[in-house]
Structure formats: C-alpha cells, structure tokens
C-alpha cells in the first residue's frame, strides 16, 4: 500500500475549507498599513488586537496560522499550542521593535513586525498582558525585484535552512570593514615578537607557526565537561602529527565537530588561518599556557572575525548551518501571501538567543565576546553578525549603509562605552554570574578584560586604569574597588584560592543578583594599603592615586574628624609591618593600619529588600540583621548575613574602616565611613560582608575604635 504524502499545514487547511480565508478579526485588518505604514509618525504605538477564538481560527485563517507557528517556536508556549489548552486567547501587537528603523528621509518605508502572545482570558484587560509577548512573530518578506536598498531594510529574508549563505557571511565582513571604520578594525600586533603563536592553516588542514602579521579568524566555543566529553587538544603527544599536512582533515573523527566545521567555514570564506585555543596552546605545557593567557585579549581583538558556536553545550555540537555536513536549523520559516503582502515568520531574536545560550553563561567567553571586533554567531536557527557598530540577522535585511537612516538597536553589546568605571562595573557584573569548569581559571579569564580597560582612552584629567589590577580590583582606585557589595552573604561559596576581599574570592554563578560598587566620585581613601610582592616578599604600597587626586575633596569638618579615629591622618604615611612566615604562602594578603571595633550584631532579622521590595533568598538562609551601639543598644547599621553562619559566631563581631564616603547633597543620609565586617582565622582577617550603608563618622568616633594593624586575606 502506497503511503499518502504528508501535506504542509496550510495545504491541509485548504483541503478542508476549499480555499484560504481569514477570520472575522483578521479580515478587518489593513495589513499594508500595519506592516508598512504610510505615515509612521501618526502610527499607533503599539497597535494591538485580540483573537478570542484563536484555537479555532488558527485552523483555517491564514494569518492566525502564521501567528500559531510563531508561538510554537517559543518553548514556553509549545506545549500549550500543541494541546490547544483552553482558557487562553492570543494578543497581537504591531510595532517597531528591536530590529526597527528610524527614517530621516522620504525614500525609506518603515517596516513593522507583528508579535503574538498568549494571555489567560481572565487577564485580557490587565496592563501586564504585554509581558506575555513572544520574541517571535511575522514580518514582510522582501521583494527580490526591489532594487532600492532603503526600501528593503528591516524586511524579511528567505533563508536556506540547510546551510547558511556563505556569500551573505562574506558580505557582512566586507561591509563592516568598508563602512564602520576604526571601531571595527582588528588591532594588529606581531605575535612572533612576544609569544609562540600558532594557527591552523585551513587549506593544508594542519597546525602551523603563524607567519608575521598574518590575518586570521578565531573560534569561540564551549569545551564541555572534560570528564564526560572527549576533546582533541595540543599536547606533546598530539603535536607529533598535528603539524602534518591534512592531519586535521574532515575525515578525522577525533576532532570535535565544532572545530571541523570552523576550519571548513574559514576556508569557504576565503581566509587562510583560524586560531582555536585547544589546538593552538599546548595544554600540557604550563609555561606555554601561562605565557599565552596574558595575550588572549590581543588574540581576539586582533582577529579579523570571531566565529561563535552559539548552540549546544560542548565542542561536539558543531556550527549549526555550517561545515561539510551541517546540522539544519531548528526552526522553519513559514510564508503566506495575504492582502497582496508576502508575510514570513521571524526566526530567533538575538536577545532571545542570549538568554538561552550556554555559550553566553561561560566565564571564558565574556572576554572573547567583549574583545572581538566582529563576531559571527551561529545560533540554532540563524546566524547573527555582531560588531561595534551593528547587529545583523540572517532572516532580516539590516545591512544599512545609508548615513541618513539610523537604526534603533539596544541589543548591541558595548563594553567600551561610557566611563572606564561604568565599563568595569558592567564587565564585573556579567563576569561574576558566569560559570567555570575550573574555579582557578577565574582571574585568568578576566585578564583580557583588564587589558581592555587598561588601554582605554581617558580624557585629560580623568582617572586611568593603566597602572593595572590587584586580584581583579583596579589599583588606581583600589579603595573604591575594595568596597564592592553583593546582596547576600554566601560563606559556602568561597573560592579559597583567591582573597576574600576580591569579588573573585566568591562564586556567584546562577544567583541572579549582581556585584555592585559605590559611587566613585564620592569615595576618598583614608588608609595606606600594602600588598605582598611575590618576587621579593616585600610589602609594596598600593598606589590608589586616582582617589587621592579627586577634585571633590572632603569638607573641613570631615578632615578634622578623621584625626579622632585615624592618628596618622594621612594615606602616605610609612609604617613598619609585622613579619610572619605564614605570609610567604599567602600572596593575596593585604596589610593596613586601620580603625577597628567590636559591635553587637543581631542573630536574626528581616528579608533583604531593594526599593522596599523583598527579594527571594537564593540560599534560603539570609536575613538583614541590625548592628548595634554597644552602649545604647540602638541600631547604627545593618548587614545581610547567613543565618547558619551567624549561629556559629559570638554576640560581638569585628568591623574595620575601608574608606570615606563624602557628603552628597543629593543623598544626604549616605555619607560617613565605608565599613567591612571581618572574621579571624589563624591571626588573619577575612571579609565577611559590607555594611549596607556607611556609618556616620560621629557615631564611629563615639564607639572608641582601636587603631590596629590588620592582615586581610
């Protein structure tokens, strides 16, 4: 018996109803005006409508059917759509969103997208229904006969789902090089003068020494769990054959698919070399690793383009849509002609991919992402091109070369914009939430980002980070960096190989909250911090000159009150430091003369809040506890602590001064002294938690603190 052919969904619809038709709601829509408004300035933002009988109408209405296919692409909606669960309606909006265009010329037609979302019938009137919108939707498919580029911008592009269009990918690189200027130009460097720089020759399919000033691409990908996933690496043993011609051929099945696909892709793009960390750094040679890691920033910023394996969780996932035997894209495009418009479903949005990507959660990939001038990202269902000036999609025409047309795109990741302080904060926030297969890699993976910040152009009179970093904290503003905060106290997440006073000393992966920093302009140093020089074992002063040179100096009253708790009243005083043989093994020790006091701290409190809103406790065991004046029992501050940890501590706990918070007329209650809670282990103090607000200096003086030499580990 011959099997019946499987008909596409819309052909089945036509079979049952005789012809395509629209439901009562869709029939009344002016789709031309919705998708390509004649007067964008008078267009409603957003224009919306509700499909009350969506499960029924999507069986025969062509537009509802396209909307249903869009909803099915969203994991949260797939099951609901497949089962057509009762109690839901479809709310649809049309708007310039994400990939939209502002038009300053009369020659360009603004294009909109139609986005559906599922809403409970009982919540139709709620203003929060917009939160149910999906990132997928419908857009107009570009007319292949339209020769005016300005009219094709932000229209849909029909994709080859089996394999990415190599010609389009080449064109992206060429357009960026031609039109985006220095911002997207790789930073050239002669690696041969500094490190043993190796690359893969994609024509000879083998490892080679990079020729001087060679042009190369780089690969950024997820290695995967080394205990579960086999991964080819450059070692003394594999080096014997990896330098042989065609040793890295497509037929060599011991090479992870992502690497094989990348080599093939680079060859198809017409380039000669690609740099891949596992094959270009000798993994069993400690000297080679330690000499190459400081140059990771230069390697990625010097690449012509970085290829990102944006799907899968290990090196065997491959580049979807690339290579000799490409994995096909996960989502199909559905197309229909309605009211004379060819409409097509939208593929995955860039931000949607980021939220679900394993690659964007790994610690090492942040520097690869931030330092690369251009990135070609292979996601599950399309390819993105991300550079310093643009974000382009394979399913949408966004390559804008008209200076009169400006895109509104907030999804471009800028890690080099704003002040050096905002860049540093943004990088630390993103970095500390990421995961590491080996926790000891944390500061190695941050090294390239430090290089990015060190070489930032600083306006005259501005504070620079060029003096380097001390365990992840910028030395020029060390006292400011030392006052970093995190909403929760998580003692079980200590990375003991790093100092407790650095954010690197704590694992905040998956918590969902951010490391934060105080207001730089209101932080002034009061103390002389010293660190251990590992080569000479001498104590070296930390040159926090950026804070000392602030124009916004403390008032006379603040200067005068310092003498009541700081007997030296100078950050440049020279002190004699105690010696201890234990320090020889603890290079992360800081020494400082500072003001310290023991204070009563409650053993329970209330839930942590931001803007008076309680936040869920990620560890189910933190409470905000009052710090009290031992003489009056009146609260003088508060600190968020682990209940389990607090139960094992005495009634009175130790606090030390870090720096001063200057008076601010806009925040009159937030000034005084930045204070850290510490705990003692074998004569060394360790960071516990920062007080939520500075302590008023007058109160600190009343507590009669002790001036003491502290070794902070």
């Amino acid at each position: 018996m011959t099997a019946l052919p499987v008909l596409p969904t819309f052909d089945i619809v036509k079979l049952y109803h005789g012809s395509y038709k629209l439901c009562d709601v869709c029939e009344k829509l002016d789709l031309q005006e919705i998708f390509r408004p004649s007067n964008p300035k008078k267009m409603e933002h957003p224009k919306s409508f509700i499909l009350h009988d969506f499960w029924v109408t999507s069986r025969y209405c062509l537009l509802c059917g396209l909307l249903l296919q869009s909803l099915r692409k969203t994991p949260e909606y797939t099951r609901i759509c497949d089962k057509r669960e009762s109690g839901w309606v479809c709310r649809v909006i049309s708007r310039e969103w994400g990939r939209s265009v502002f038009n300053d010329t009369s020659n360009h037609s603004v294009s909109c997208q139609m986005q559906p979302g599922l809403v409970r019938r009982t919540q139709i009137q709620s203003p929060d229904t917009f939160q149910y919108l999906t990132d997928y939707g419908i857009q107009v498919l570009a007319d292949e006969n339209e020769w005016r580029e300005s009219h094709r911008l932000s229209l849909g592009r029909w994709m080859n789902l089996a394999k990415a269009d190599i010609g389009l990918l080449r064109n992206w690189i060429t357009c960026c090089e031609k039109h985006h200027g220095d911002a997207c130009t790789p930073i050239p460097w002669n690696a041969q003068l500094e490190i043993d720089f190796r690359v893969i020759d994609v024509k000879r399919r083998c490892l080679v020494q990079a020729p001087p000033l060679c042009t190369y691409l780089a690969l950024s990908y997820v290695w995967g769990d080394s205990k579960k996933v086999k991964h080819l690496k450059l070692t003394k043993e594999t080096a014997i054959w990896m330098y042989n011609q065609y040793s890295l051929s497509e037929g060599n099945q011991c090479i992870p698919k992502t690497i094989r696909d990348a080599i093939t892709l680079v060859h198809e793009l017409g380039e000669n070399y690609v740099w891949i960390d596992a094959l270009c750094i000798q993994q069993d040679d400690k000297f080679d690793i330690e000499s190459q890691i400081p140059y990771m920033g230069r390697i990625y910023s010097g690449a012509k383009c970085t290829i990102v394996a944006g799907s899968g969780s290990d090196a065997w996932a491959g580049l979807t849509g690339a290579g000799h035997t490409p994995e096909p894209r996960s989502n199909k495009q559905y197309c229909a002609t309605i009211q004379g418009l060819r409409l097509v479903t939208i593929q995955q949005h860039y931000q949607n991919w980021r939220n679900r990507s394993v690659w964007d959660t790994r610690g090492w990939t942040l520097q690869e992402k931030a330092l690369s001038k251009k990135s070609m990202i292979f996601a599950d269902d399309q390819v993105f091109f991300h550079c310093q000036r643009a974000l382009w999609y394979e399913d949408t025409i966004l390559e804008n070369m008209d200076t009169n047309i400006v895109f509104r795109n907030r999804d471009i990741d800028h890690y080099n914009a704003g002040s050096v302080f905002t860049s540093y904060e943004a990088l630390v926030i993103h970095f500390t939430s990421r995961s590491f297969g080996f926790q000891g890699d944390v500061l190695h993976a941050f090294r390239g980002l430090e290089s990015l910040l060190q070489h930032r152009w600083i306006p005259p009179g501005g504070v620079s980070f060029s003096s380097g970093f001390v365990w992840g904290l910028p030395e020029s503003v060390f006292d400011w960096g030392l006052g970093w905060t995190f909403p929760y106290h998580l003692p079980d997440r200590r990375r003991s190989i790093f100092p407790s006073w650095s954010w690197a000393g704590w694992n905040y992966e998956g918590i969902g909250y951010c490391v934060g920093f105080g207001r730089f302009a209101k932080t002034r140093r009061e103390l002389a911090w010293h660190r251990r020089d590992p080569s000479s074992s001498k104590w070296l002063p930390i040159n926090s000159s950026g804070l000392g040179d602030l124009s916004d100096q403390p008032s006379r009253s603040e200067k005068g009150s310092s003498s009541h708790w700081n007997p030296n009243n100078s950050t440049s005083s020279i002190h004699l430091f105690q010696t201890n043989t234990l320090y020889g093994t603890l290079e992360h020790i800081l020494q400082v003369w500072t003001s310290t006091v023991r204070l009563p701290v409650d053993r329970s409190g209330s839930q942590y809040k931001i803007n008076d809103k309680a936040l869920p406790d990620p560890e189910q065991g933190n409470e905000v506890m009052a710090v009290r004046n031992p003489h009056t029992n009146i609260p003088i501050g508060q600190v968020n602590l682990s209940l389990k940890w607090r139960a094992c501590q005495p009634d009175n706990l130790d606090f030390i001064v870090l720096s001063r918070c200057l008076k601010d007329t806009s925040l009159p209650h937030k000034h005084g002294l930045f204070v850290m809670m510490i705990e003692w282990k074998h004569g060394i103090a360790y960071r516990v938690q920062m007080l939520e607000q500075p302590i008023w200096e007058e109160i600190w003086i009343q507590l009669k603190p002790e001036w003491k030499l502290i070794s902070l580990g």
Side-chain angles (χ1 to χ4, degrees):
M1 181 177 177
T2 305
L4 293 174
V6 178
L7 297 175
T9 304
F10 295 135
D11 288 346
I12 295 174
V13 171
K14 187 174 182 179
L15 212 67
Y16 280 115
H17 297 280
S19 63
Y20 294 124
K21 56 184 288 189
L22 297 177
C23 67
D24 293 340
V25 175
C26 295
E27 194 172 31
K28 297 175 183 178
L29 300 174
D30 185 346
L31 296 184
Q32 180 69 45
E33 191 62 28
I34 288 176
F35 284 103
R36 309 211 79 182
S38 56
N39 190 343
K41 293 182 180 179
K42 293 184 178 181
M43 185 177 64
E44 294 182 45
H45 289 285
K47 184 179 181 64
S48 67
F49 59 93
I50 295 176
L51 298 166
H52 291 274
D53 301 316
F54 183 64
W55 298 141
V56 176
T57 59
S58 60
R59 293 182 182 276
Y60 67 87
C61 174
L62 205 52
L63 184 58
C64 290
L66 283 176
L67 293 170
L68 178 64
Q69 295 301 335
S70 294
L71 287 167
R72 276 186 170 140
K73 294 181 180 182
T74 305
E76 293 81 2
Y77 290 153
T78 302
R79 179 183 56 82
I80 298 173
C81 291
D82 289 344
K83 292 186 176 181
R84 297 179 181 265
E85 293 182 1
S86 60
W88 295 88
V89 300
C90 181
R91 178 165 187 167
V92 186
I93 70 167
S94 173
R95 61 181 179 181
E96 293 181 274
W97 178 82
R99 295 170 283 176
S100 60
V101 180
F102 282 124
N103 178 29
D104 294 331
T105 70
S106 58
N107 296 324
H108 173 65
S109 299
V110 170
S111 299
C112 299
Q113 299 171 344
M114 190 177 279
Q115 294 173 263
L118 293 179
V119 186
R120 290 283 186 184
R121 289 187 183 276
T122 55
Q123 298 176 318
I124 293 176
Q125 303 303 323
S126 170
D128 295 331
T129 53
F130 283 105
Q131 69 180 325
Y132 296 99
L133 291 169
T134 175
D135 285 331
Y136 296 95
I138 304 169
Q139 61 189 355
V140 178
L141 190 63
D143 186 349
E144 295 179 0
N145 297 319
E146 174 62 65
W147 59 271
R148 292 168 296 185
E149 290 296 329
S150 60
H151 278 246
R152 292 165 57 84
L153 278 173
S154 72
L155 295 182
R157 180 158 41 207
W158 193 252
M159 294 169 47
N160 178 356
L161 294 177
K163 186 171 182 177
D165 184 347
I166 297 297
L168 175 63
L169 306 187
R170 275 201 214 104
N171 185 56
W172 280 345
I173 296 175
T174 302
C175 288
C176 177
E177 290 175 342
K178 185 176 180 180
H179 296 281
H180 291 168
D182 293 342
C184 298
T185 301
I187 302 173
W189 62 296
N190 196 339
Q192 282 66 31
L193 299 178
E194 301 178 74
I195 59 173
D196 188 10
F197 191 54
R198 313 173 187 94
V199 290
I200 295 168
D201 185 324
V202 300
K203 294 180 179 178
R204 298 173 57 212
R205 303 283 297 205
C206 65
L207 190 65
V208 298
Q209 292 297 126
L213 298 175
C214 79
T215 299
Y216 63 94
L217 282 76
L219 175 65
S220 177
Y221 66 111
V222 177
W223 283 29
D225 189 340
S226 60
K227 297 179 181 178
K228 300 178 182 178
V229 180
K230 185 180 179 181
H231 194 312
L232 175 65
K233 301 173 185 177
L234 175 62
T235 62
K236 292 178 182 178
E237 181 180 356
T238 60
I240 297 172
W241 58 268
M242 283 177 62
Y243 283 96
N244 295 333
Q245 189 167 345
Y246 304 123
S247 60
L248 301 177
S249 65
E250 176 66 26
N252 189 339
Q253 295 301 306
C254 73
I255 305 172
K257 191 174 188 309
T258 298
I259 293 177
R260 279 183 280 140
D261 288 350
I263 294 173
T264 299
L265 174 65
V266 172
H267 185 265
E268 291 176 335
L269 290 172
E271 301 295 334
N272 295 324
Y273 303 106
V274 60
W275 184 89
I276 302 173
D277 54 4
L279 305 189
C280 297
I281 300 176
Q282 189 163 319
Q283 302 298 318
D284 60 352
D285 185 335
K286 185 178 179 181
F287 175 80
D288 196 53
I289 292 173
E290 292 183 352
S291 64
Q292 300 257 2
I293 282 178
Y295 290 91
M296 295 288 279
R298 290 196 183 186
I299 290 172
Y300 282 98
S301 61
K304 183 172 184 177
C305 183
T306 296
I307 299 166
V308 175
S311 59
S313 58
D314 59 53
W316 290 91
L319 299 176
T320 309
H324 280 298
T325 54
E327 293 291 329
R329 268 65 91 79
S330 58
N331 285 321
K332 296 180 180 179
Q333 284 179 300
Y334 293 87
C335 181
T337 301
I338 308 174
Q339 294 183 8
L341 289 176
R342 290 202 308 161
L343 303 179
V344 64
T345 53
I346 296 170
Q347 298 293 80
Q348 183 174 212
H349 190 275
Y350 175 76
Q351 200 67 282
N352 184 285
W353 162 77
R354 277 192 58 185
N355 294 338
R356 296 182 176 134
S357 166
V358 174
W359 177 86
D360 209 42
T361 65
R362 294 296 191 258
W364 279 101
T365 60
L366 180 59
Q367 71 168 355
E368 297 161 13
K369 175 182 179 181
L371 293 164
S372 298
K373 296 295 185 177
K374 307 180 189 69
S375 297
M376 197 176 290
I377 303 164
F378 287 77
D380 289 326
D381 57 1
Q382 70 167 311
V383 182
F384 304 108
F385 183 84
H386 184 294
C387 65
Q388 306 300 309
R389 290 283 186 266
L391 177 60
W392 294 334
Y393 289 62
E394 191 180 357
D395 77 329
T396 307
I397 299 172
L398 297 170
E399 300 84 23
N400 172 35
M401 306 308 155
D402 189 338
T403 56
N404 293 317
I405 300 172
V406 181
F407 274 80
R408 176 182 59 186
N409 198 328
R410 298 174 182 173
D411 294 332
I412 299 177
D413 299 303
H414 289 297
Y415 296 104
N416 214 13
S419 72
V420 69
F421 299 98
T422 56
S423 294
Y424 175 76
E425 289 183 83
L427 288 169
V428 172
I429 286 171
H430 284 92
F431 187 81
T432 50
S433 64
R434 293 180 171 236
S435 62
F436 288 88
F438 176 57
Q439 297 299 316
D441 282 345
V442 171
L443 286 180
H444 285 319
F446 196 70
R447 193 81 60 84
L449 301 174
E450 291 178 351
S451 176
L452 178 71
L453 295 164
Q454 280 182 268
H455 295 93
R456 277 283 300 274
W457 178 84
I458 304 297
V463 177
S464 167
F465 286 3
S466 60
S467 58
F469 292 76
V470 180
W471 296 91
L473 303 183
E475 182 172 10
S476 62
V477 287
F478 184 78
D479 306 58
W480 169 76
L482 198 60
W484 63 271
T485 61
F486 190 78
Y488 290 102
H489 174 220
L490 308 173
D492 293 337
R493 284 175 169 258
R494 262 288 283 135
R495 293 187 181 117
S496 58
I497 57 175
F498 298 121
S500 65
W501 45 265
S502 169
W503 46 259
W506 305 81
N507 180 4
Y508 293 133
E509 174 193 347
I511 296 297
Y513 301 103
C514 301
V515 169
F517 294 87
R519 300 183 69 188
F520 160 70
K522 296 302 172 185
T523 302
R524 181 182 181 271
R525 58 191 178 116
E526 287 277 359
L527 308 170
W529 295 91
H530 288 70
R531 61 185 177 88
R532 189 68 174 254
D533 179 12
S535 60
S536 65
S537 298
K538 294 181 180 179
W539 293 102
L540 303 177
I542 293 177
N543 184 18
S544 190
S545 58
L547 291 170
D549 295 336
L550 284 176
S551 59
D552 188 2
Q553 294 297 321
S555 64
R556 286 186 178 181
S557 60
E558 287 177 303
K559 288 182 179 179
S561 58
S562 287
S563 61
H564 294 287
W565 61 267
N566 182 345
N568 296 287
N569 197 23
S570 172
T571 58
S572 60
S573 300
I574 298 176
H575 304 286
L576 294 176
F577 288 81
Q578 298 173 349
T579 58
N580 190 316
T581 55
L582 183 61
Y583 296 154
T585 61
L586 297 176
E587 296 175 358
H588 50 67
I589 291 288
L590 295 177
Q591 283 204 332
V592 64
W593 284 94
T594 186
S595 182
T596 177
V597 71
R598 291 178 66 84
L599 299 172
V601 180
D602 290 355
R603 293 187 175 273
S604 62
S606 58
Q607 198 171 8
Y608 183 81
K609 296 181 179 181
I610 292 181
N611 297 328
D612 296 327
K613 182 178 180 180
L615 296 178
D617 184 346
E619 299 287 320
Q620 298 300 317
N622 265 229
E623 288 185 0
V624 180
M625 304 175 190
V627 179
R628 300 183 180 274
N629 186 320
H631 309 299
T632 63
N633 204 38
I634 296 175
I636 57 175
Q638 57 185 18
V639 60
N640 198 20
L641 295 175
S642 160
L643 285 167
K644 180 181 177 181
W645 179 89
R646 183 69 188 95
C648 301
Q649 306 300 318
D651 292 337
N652 294 348
L653 300 176
D654 290 284
F655 296 83
I656 61 172
V657 171
L658 297 186
S659 57
R660 177 184 294 279
C661 179
L662 300 180
K663 290 182 179 179
D664 188 342
T665 54
S666 64
L667 300 169
H669 62 292
K670 293 184 178 180
H671 71 275
L673 302 174
F674 288 116
V675 173
M676 175 192 289
M677 177 188 287
I678 60 172
E679 62 177 331
W680 294 93
K681 294 179 181 179
H682 308 294
I684 298 176
Y686 292 88
R687 181 192 195 274
V688 175
Q689 184 70 300
M690 291 291 296
L691 262 63
E692 291 192 358
Q693 300 292 345
I695 285 186
W696 284 359
E697 192 169 19
E698 297 83 357
I699 293 178
W700 185 260
I701 294 170
Q702 292 172 8
L703 297 174
K704 298 181 179 180
E706 179 184 359
W707 186 249
K708 189 175 180 181
L709 177 65
I710 300 292
S711 296
L712 189 61

